[in-house]
Amino acid sequence: MKVTIVGAGNVGATCADVISYRGIASEVVLLDIREGFAEGKALDIMQCATNTGFNTKVSGVTNDYSKTAGSDVVVITSGIPRKPGMTREELIGINAGIVKTVAENVLKHSPDTIIVVVSNPMDTMTYLALKSTGLPKNRIIGMGGALDSSRFRTYLSLALDKPANDISAMVIGGHGDTTMIPLTRLASYNGIPVTEFLSEEVLQKVAADTMIGGATLTGLLGTSAWYAPGASVAYLVDSILNDQKKMIACSVFVEGEYGQNDICIGVPCIIGKNGVEEILDITLNEQEKALFAKSADAVRQMNDALKSILV
């Protein structure tokens, strides 16, 4: 199985490292526009093989899409990262042209690939990739919900003082500081609702921390985070390549689900060898429905900025 990662920055390189270390794919290609940058990252990862025991072939190329031919999955991380004080929405004009060009180029050499979009603003870039390529909706997936859910589980873990891997929790809605919806009502610790252990006040704090999880790290690091985003992409790619059919919150094109149409937004999905194999239309309460509708409106407004690009 072959995976191409376009953009060899922190997120892309971390994703390649995790995929290689875990043996998710037999081959990983890193591509970047900076001369020698992807080649250097790939060589550095390959030099870990003897010490960590993986056998994945990792190579890097400078803007040569022919080397990506036959990729089963293509991950797009291209674009500029957020700086302190910058919203994901402010990246639209800069990153839209990049994502559109990358998607078109990879499809010339891997026409049957599944595309995973990481570039921000992620919901809007996922919508752009879908509309500009004309691919079936199951083959364009935005990664954001997987990352947001992992952050949600981390904050719940800290509040509960229990292992994050024993916690089940999900974030739906837009991948933005004000648009994501941590489903505190449905979160559980080993099958027991977390509401049995945590007060409403604590749960609201957990939800608030989750929603600004990315911005918090940007403020601390001076740029966007990369370890958790890279690992979240690898987790999603693993479910595709190995047909694991995991339920993962992803930004996908909705056609009536949750009362929404013609946008890409985070919803629970079954992810397997065909990409998005099913959208799970779970029952939300009235408050959650209202929040989801508000989130969808915000995502739709961001999509309006793409009109000139999609013409």
Side-chain angles (χ1 to χ4, degrees):
M1 293 291 189
K2 181 175 180 178
V3 176
T4 286
I5 301 168
V6 183
N10 288 335
V11 174
T14 300
C15 178
D17 187 47
V18 175
I19 288 174
S20 303
Y21 182 77
R22 292 183 54 201
I24 292 170
S26 56
E27 182 179 1
V28 175
V29 176
L30 272 170
L31 183 147
D32 204 277
I33 61 171
R34 289 169 285 184
E35 187 70 37
F37 190 70
E39 290 88 337
K41 290 289 186 78
L43 184 58
D44 194 15
I45 292 171
M46 282 293 287
Q47 289 172 356
C48 298
T50 56
N51 294 321
T52 57
F54 71 79
N55 296 303
T56 302
K57 176 186 176 183
V58 186
S59 60
V61 295
T62 301
N63 220 30
D64 182 0
Y65 283 87
S66 68
K67 302 296 184 183
T68 71
S71 294
D72 298 283
V73 177
V74 173
V75 177
I76 302 177
T77 72
S78 305
I80 66 166
R82 282 203 293 174
K83 301 297 182 184
M86 179 184 285
T87 66
R88 292 181 175 93
E89 292 78 5
E90 289 176 294
L91 301 178
I92 292 177
I94 301 169
N95 288 347
I98 297 172
V99 170
K100 183 174 183 290
T101 300
V102 169
E104 291 170 349
N105 282 329
V106 297
L107 286 172
K108 292 176 184 176
H109 301 281
S110 302
D112 299 320
T113 195
I114 293 169
I115 295 177
V116 176
V117 178
V118 183
S119 308
N120 275 317
M122 192 271 310
D123 300 293
T124 300
M125 294 301 103
T126 303
Y127 183 81
L128 171 66
L130 178 73
K131 292 296 184 177
S132 64
T133 62
L135 287 180
K137 64 179 184 178
N138 62 297
R139 289 173 52 195
I140 301 285
I141 307 171
M143 179 281 298
L147 171 60
D148 298 332
S149 297
S150 72
R151 287 174 172 161
F152 185 26
R153 291 171 66 189
T154 298
Y155 284 116
L156 285 169
S157 166
L158 294 172
L160 290 163
D161 194 24
K162 298 293 188 296
N165 286 327
D166 284 349
I167 297 169
S168 177
M170 181 178 295
V171 175
I172 61 172
H175 179 58
D177 300 348
T178 60
T179 56
M180 67 180 74
I181 305 163
L183 294 174
T184 54
R185 178 178 63 89
L186 300 178
S188 63
Y189 164 59
N190 276 336
I192 304 171
V194 296
T195 52
E196 295 287 324
F197 307 101
L198 301 175
S199 67
E200 180 62 24
E201 182 182 1
V202 170
L203 283 173
Q204 289 304 312
K205 175 68 163 54
V206 166
D209 288 343
T210 299
M211 293 175 72
I212 61 167
T216 298
L217 288 165
T218 300
L220 291 169
L221 297 169
T223 187
S224 296
W226 59 90
Y227 293 123
S232 296
V233 180
Y235 180 76
L236 180 57
V237 170
D238 193 10
S239 194
I240 296 169
L241 292 184
N242 294 300
D243 196 25
Q244 293 173 337
K245 303 190 188 303
K246 290 177 179 174
M247 183 175 69
I248 305 173
C250 299
S251 182
V252 298
F253 190 72
V254 290
E255 295 179 292
E257 295 91 353
Y258 297 91
Q260 301 298 325
N261 284 283
D262 196 35
I263 57 169
C264 292
I265 192 168
V267 291
C269 300
I270 301 300
I271 303 296
K273 64 181 179 180
N274 298 311
V276 182
E277 303 207 340
E278 183 182 357
I279 295 175
L280 301 178
D281 202 348
I282 62 175
T283 302
L284 302 179
N285 63 27
E286 292 305 312
Q287 181 184 21
E288 292 159 349
K289 287 178 182 177
L291 288 172
F292 193 87
K294 182 179 178 181
S295 178
D297 286 343
V299 171
R300 194 170 282 107
Q301 288 176 13
M302 285 194 291
N303 289 352
D304 288 342
L306 295 175
K307 289 180 179 178
S308 61
I309 297 170
L310 290 170
V311 171

